[in-house]
Amino acid sequence: MSRVVAAESNISPARDTLRFFTSHSMELGDFSSKPAGASPTLGQLLKRVGDVRKEATGDETPVHHHMLDLSDTSSVEHRSLSFVLSFNNLTYSVKDRRKMTLPSVLRRRSAAATATDPVAGESLFSRTKTLLNDISGEARDGEILAVLGASGSGKSTLIDALANRISKGSLKGSVTLNGEVLESRMLKVISAYVMQDDLLFPMLTVEETLMFAAEFRLPRTLSKSKKKMRVQALIDQLGLRNAAKTVIGDEGHRGVSGGERRRVSIGTDIIHDPILLFLDEPTSGLDSTSAFMVVKVLQRIAQSGSLVIMSIHQPSYRILGLLDRMIFLSRGQTVYSGSPMSLPSFFAEFGHPIPENENRTEFALDLIRELEGSPGGTKSMVEFNKSWLNMKQSRNSSSIQHETEQLHQQGLSLKEAISASISRGKLVSGATTNSSTSLTSMVPTFANPFWIEMAVLSKRSILNSRRMPELFGIRLGAVLVTGFILATMFWQLDNSPKGVQERLGFFAFAMSTTFYTCADALPVFLQERYIFMRETAYNAYRRSSYVMSHSLSALPALIFLSLSFSATTFFAVGLDGGFSGFLFYFLIIFASFWAGSSFVTFLSGVVPHVMLGYTIVVAILAYFLLFSGFFINRDRIPPYWIWFHYMSLVKYPYEAVLQNEFNNPTKCFVRGVQIFDNSPLGAVPDAMKLRLLKTLSNTLGMKITSSTCLTTGSDILQQQGITDLSKWNCLWVTVAWGFLFRILFYFSLLLGSKNKRN
């Protein structure tokens, strides 16, 4: 059946020659690298003419080099097919939750009582919904296969099925490339998937965006100049020369147009020149001109030797002329499969001829919608499509048999086809054409080693941060304002019992503030989540590289924030320890920022929504402060809550700064009559306090004067229950918490960023 579809769109020799020239004009090497005396090819000359035309006119429309219709075509060699993607009997069903209302429940119960055989997958609470129902077809390199249909017809589901984005246990049927089932790892390397949404960093320019994509997908063995040449060639191919230096933009920053943004999205995925290119409605939301330019770019990509499969909602007449194969879907079933040129004859034989001067696809989609609303649905059209294909097969049996024999003679194994494509410049990702290597080792899983990925990711993150200084400025302002308020509120605390209580309050608030300030890191990854998923889905870089670069790029900002807060509060409050005390105070503040940032980053990998994430962060940090030991000593915490005390992130920096402040054995905090402070006797006259102190001395049998030290810093630590860990151990535990949450963040990315449907 799939061979019948293939037989309907034989490729003309002139078109094959165009594809050959277009493919060679996109190779990385420049013309100067050719041997002396070698004349440029016709495709290269045409490309030069097109570039000169674009420079002179400023037209950024992708140039289509029209070939003259040569009278003698016998000398032109017919292009052999390198790749054939076949999909047979694809079926995919999901369980849909029923709406529970009392009348519907009663009706289902009565129906279940009268039914003899229950429907498979049906229950009182759920029902089985078939998204794909026995879909078969074929796609070839050099051509565009378009999947059409109304919303909900199964277009995106079919694209996901072909791109291996549906788990194998849920998808029935087979998808093969050159007759071989592709492994998931190999498919990720030789293919690319362009999502419907444009997932790009808004503050990067078009050229920078494509350059970062080249750094990820092109190997380090390729020189920097070669990568830049590839980017510049791709910019010309995508028609983005005038927008190359313009930022992508978002709601708050003016940038490129919608059509240009869509072409940039395509460019980031085809930078390595993949063999298979899947696109989910690349023209969605674009005007007719922008949509035509996008599909025109896809045609050039296909002509360079790629296999392009895309879903499209309602193509215009001009776009229809660029498509090679079409599959119309209706509620998961195929209602038409064939060439766009065969649409009139198909509908004429079906009894609904297409009127003249009417868009064929619009007529087809309107008729499909009309049939979907009829009692019989599109069942008649589905059956007619099958009989029509069988009739075409019997009518052209001799030509199909000849083509089949030719395909068997010219057909290549998957390994041979990939090797041939690599030799022509495809898969610019460090692939090897060594015939002795296996299929899985022919193309590396990742184009670059771990440390290069980490360096490129860090560079991109820092560049984004520099382009949006207001984000760091707001965070720094919050830290400085908080530090200023604390410094003025707790200005130069004394060593009295009241000073001790004020110190305890200052440390508790200061340590909790560092963690609360880190909450603004929550939306950072939430904004990048889908960009990260798109890039890692097809092995642009490792998840571990992202986690490491994310951590390293955050350190400079954390160091600056820690230094600002420490310098603002330490000397103004009058904390003890001199320079060494200030140094440790800075280190523990930095460790708190590190642990808090790691904790919030981990939550951003688990919680998908910003507001929900803020609610969880604020609540958990409040619990951490409650169990830190400030409001209630460790000895007074109930046994069933003591585990939360040791899990509190605020506990360890709070105990560390207390030890840094009160660990001086020579410093006294309660002398003589100060023992009555913070008690009901604190209000009596000093003379009465001295007489009480003398009476207390006689009772205890020891002399206590107004200058006798009654409480040292060690006594305060003992009263607060801070006896388990030293201040340095508390510092290391805080740092370790940060590393633990970074590791948990990695596992959340590993488990939570799957791009497959169940």
Side-chain angles (χ1 to χ4, degrees):
M1 185 75 66
S2 59
R3 297 297 186 191
V4 179
V5 180
E8 296 179 358
S9 55
N10 293 329
I11 305 166
S12 65
R15 183 176 175 184
D16 295 332
T17 309
L18 172 60
R19 293 177 180 173
F20 178 82
F21 287 144
T22 308
S23 174
H24 281 70
S25 67
M26 287 303 299
E27 290 181 355
L28 290 174
D30 56 3
F31 301 141
S32 60
S33 62
K34 295 183 179 296
S39 59
T41 65
L42 179 59
Q44 294 165 352
L45 292 174
L46 289 172
K47 185 177 185 301
R48 290 181 181 178
V49 173
D51 293 339
V52 171
R53 183 185 72 84
K54 287 190 289 183
E55 292 176 2
T57 63
D59 182 16
E60 286 300 315
T61 305
V63 184
H64 179 56
H65 304 311
H66 295 280
M67 297 292 297
L68 294 177
D69 186 12
L70 303 180
S71 59
D72 184 14
T73 58
S74 59
S75 60
V76 182
E77 183 182 358
H78 196 280
R79 179 181 68 88
S80 62
L81 292 172
S82 298
F83 296 98
V84 178
L85 181 72
S86 301
F87 46 98
N88 298 298
N89 310 115
L90 295 183
T91 302
Y92 174 58
S93 302
V94 295
K95 287 190 176 181
D96 188 20
R97 184 177 300 175
R98 293 183 184 272
K99 292 183 179 180
M100 300 303 297
T101 59
L102 184 59
S104 63
V105 171
L106 295 177
R107 284 197 302 269
R108 287 166 191 153
R109 284 184 175 177
S110 60
T114 58
T116 55
D117 297 323
V119 180
E122 298 282 337
S123 68
L124 184 63
F125 303 102
S126 65
R127 62 181 178 180
T128 300
K129 183 178 181 181
T130 302
L131 301 182
L132 297 178
N133 188 358
D134 196 27
I135 306 294
S136 299
E138 187 177 86
R140 300 184 178 188
D141 65 299
E143 298 178 352
I144 298 179
L145 170 64
V147 183
L148 295 91
S151 299
S153 60
K155 302 189 299 296
S156 299
T157 305
L158 179 57
I159 298 294
D160 287 344
L162 299 179
N164 194 30
R165 291 165 64 91
I166 299 178
S167 59
K168 292 183 178 180
S170 302
L171 180 67
K172 298 178 181 178
S174 63
V175 180
T176 60
L177 185 63
N178 287 20
E180 301 181 27
V181 178
L182 270 178
E183 296 181 6
S184 178
R185 190 197 72 84
M186 174 58 65
L187 183 62
K188 287 183 178 181
V189 176
I190 69 172
S191 67
Y193 187 99
V194 180
M195 298 181 181
Q196 185 173 352
D197 299 324
D198 299 322
L199 305 173
L200 303 167
F201 286 98
M203 298 312 296
L204 296 180
T205 66
V206 170
E207 188 175 12
E208 289 170 345
T209 301
L210 295 177
M211 194 63 207
F212 278 117
E215 293 285 354
F216 290 134
R217 301 308 299 261
L218 304 186
R220 66 187 179 114
T221 54
L222 207 63
S223 65
K224 189 81 170 179
S225 60
K226 291 289 186 181
K227 292 179 181 178
K228 289 182 178 179
M229 289 175 60
R230 170 62 182 161
V231 169
Q232 296 303 320
L234 188 59
I235 288 175
D236 290 330
Q237 185 185 20
L238 296 172
L240 295 169
R241 176 56 57 192
N242 286 341
K245 302 295 183 181
T246 307
V247 296
I248 301 298
D250 56 8
E251 294 81 1
H253 304 85
R254 187 176 180 86
V256 298
S257 65
E260 291 169 335
R261 185 195 302 265
R262 187 60 49 85
R263 279 177 274 158
V264 175
S265 296
I266 296 172
T268 57
D269 288 307
I270 66 168
I271 190 71
H272 63 301
D273 207 1
I275 294 173
L276 301 175
L277 179 59
F278 304 97
L279 305 102
D280 185 11
E281 297 202 19
T283 61
S284 176
L286 302 181
D287 58 82
S288 59
T289 302
S290 300
F292 174 76
M293 293 178 66
V294 168
V295 181
K296 190 71 175 176
V297 168
L298 296 179
Q299 185 191 50
R300 304 187 105 205
I301 295 170
Q303 291 172 353
S304 69
S306 296
L307 194 156
V308 179
I309 302 176
M310 70 173 184
S311 61
I312 186 169
H313 184 66
Q314 196 163 340
S316 64
Y317 181 81
R318 291 193 301 167
I319 292 178
L320 185 63
L322 303 177
L323 306 179
D324 299 287
R325 300 172 187 269
M326 304 175 70
I327 294 179
F328 280 87
L329 297 181
S330 173
R331 297 177 180 175
Q333 291 183 299
T334 305
V335 293
Y336 175 77
S337 177
S339 167
M341 303 301 296
S342 302
L343 278 173
S345 61
F346 174 84
F347 284 100
E349 295 179 27
F350 183 59
H352 295 79
I354 302 176
E356 295 183 4
N357 301 324
E358 184 166 347
N359 189 305
R360 300 172 184 175
T361 56
E362 291 182 0
F363 175 84
L365 292 172
D366 291 341
L367 179 61
I368 292 171
R369 290 192 190 96
E370 182 180 342
L371 291 176
E372 288 176 348
S374 63
T378 56
K379 182 178 179 180
S380 59
M381 196 171 185
V382 172
E383 296 298 330
F384 177 77
N385 178 59
K386 294 179 181 178
S387 61
W388 184 75
L389 289 176
N390 290 330
M391 181 180 62
K392 296 282 288 185
Q393 181 180 11
S394 60
R395 187 183 302 171
N396 302 323
S397 58
S398 59
S399 60
I400 293 175
Q401 183 179 2
H402 174 71
E403 183 188 358
T404 303
E405 294 175 355
Q406 189 179 32
L407 284 172
H408 282 301
Q409 294 173 359
Q410 296 179 348
L412 302 174
S413 67
L414 184 57
K415 179 180 176 182
E416 293 171 342
I418 293 178
S419 179
S421 294
I422 294 171
S423 64
R424 293 198 305 268
K426 303 290 288 183
L427 290 180
V428 194
S429 59
T432 176
T433 57
N434 189 356
S435 60
S436 62
T437 58
S438 63
L439 181 61
T440 55
S441 61
M442 183 183 298
V443 183
T445 304
F446 296 96
N448 294 288
F450 170 83
W451 61 273
I452 287 185
E453 294 174 352
M454 192 171 63
V456 176
L457 284 166
S458 300
K459 179 182 177 182
R460 185 176 69 177
S461 178
I462 294 173
L463 183 59
N464 270 302
S465 300
R466 287 175 52 193
R467 297 277 172 83
M468 292 186 290
E470 62 273 10
L471 298 181
F472 177 74
I474 293 174
R475 191 175 182 185
L476 178 62
V479 169
L480 289 176
V481 169
T482 304
F484 174 76
I485 293 175
L486 289 176
T488 52
M489 285 287 293
F490 298 93
W491 179 264
Q492 295 298 317
L493 298 179
D494 55 25
N495 295 330
S496 65
K498 289 184 179 180
V500 171
Q501 290 300 117
E502 291 166 351
R503 276 177 165 81
L504 295 177
F506 165 77
F507 287 135
F509 191 86
M511 294 304 104
S512 60
T513 297
T514 58
F515 287 96
Y516 277 108
T517 309
C518 295
D520 65 347
L522 184 69
V524 173
F525 175 72
L526 292 178
Q527 293 174 350
E528 299 180 10
R529 174 191 291 272
Y530 294 104
I531 299 178
F532 165 82
M533 293 174 65
R534 175 179 64 83
E535 292 175 336
T536 56
Y538 290 87
N539 294 354
Y541 49 80
R542 298 167 179 84
R543 291 174 175 83
S544 56
S545 304
Y546 181 84
V547 173
M548 288 295 296
S549 68
H550 192 278
S551 304
L552 291 177
S553 59
L555 290 181
L558 297 182
I559 292 175
F560 195 81
L561 292 175
S562 304
L563 186 60
S564 301
F565 187 80
S566 303
T568 306
T569 57
F570 184 85
F571 300 103
V573 176
L575 301 182
D576 189 38
F579 179 75
S580 61
F582 171 77
L583 181 61
F584 182 83
Y585 180 73
F586 160 73
L587 291 177
I588 197 64
I589 293 293
F590 172 65
S592 301
F593 272 117
W594 161 251
S597 176
S598 301
F599 170 69
V600 174
T601 301
F602 162 65
L603 281 183
S604 69
V606 176
V607 181
H609 303 292
V610 175
M611 294 309 299
L612 180 61
Y614 274 126
T615 303
I616 295 176
V617 167
V618 171
I620 294 179
L621 289 179
Y623 300 148
F624 285 162
L625 179 60
L626 175 64
F627 289 95
S628 64
F630 169 69
F631 294 102
I632 183 171
N633 288 351
R634 182 187 62 201
D635 300 334
R636 300 277 295 170
I637 297 177
Y640 46 83
W641 282 120
I642 195 66
W643 60 273
F644 210 125
H645 170 72
Y646 289 101
M647 290 187 63
S648 172
L649 295 182
V650 182
K651 159 188 164 62
Y652 300 98
Y654 175 67
E655 292 185 358
V657 291
L658 286 185
Q659 293 188 63
N660 189 55
E661 180 68 18
F662 297 113
N663 211 21
N664 186 355
T666 62
K667 193 169 184 179
C668 185
F669 292 92
V670 178
R671 293 181 181 274
V673 294
Q674 289 179 339
I675 194 175
F676 301 111
D677 293 351
N678 297 327
S679 70
L681 298 177
V684 302
D686 290 342
M688 180 63 71
K689 290 180 182 178
L690 290 175
R691 287 197 297 270
L692 289 173
L693 193 62
K694 186 176 181 180
T695 304
L696 184 61
S697 300
N698 295 332
T699 304
L700 295 176
M702 57 180 297
K703 186 177 181 180
I704 303 177
T705 64
S706 59
S707 60
T708 302
C709 183
L710 299 177
T711 303
T712 63
S714 301
D715 298 326
I716 295 175
L717 295 178
Q718 190 75 25
Q719 294 170 7
Q720 296 295 318
I722 303 174
T723 56
D724 287 349
L725 299 174
S726 66
K727 66 177 185 180
W728 288 104
N729 286 336
C730 289
L731 174 65
W732 301 133
V733 170
T734 307
V735 174
W737 272 117
F739 280 106
L740 175 63
F741 284 119
R742 294 288 173 173
I743 295 173
L744 294 177
F745 176 56
Y746 168 74
F747 283 109
S748 70
L749 298 184
L750 200 62
L751 300 175
S753 60
K754 302 294 184 182
N755 284 278
K756 288 191 177 184
R757 305 190 192 185
N758 293 322

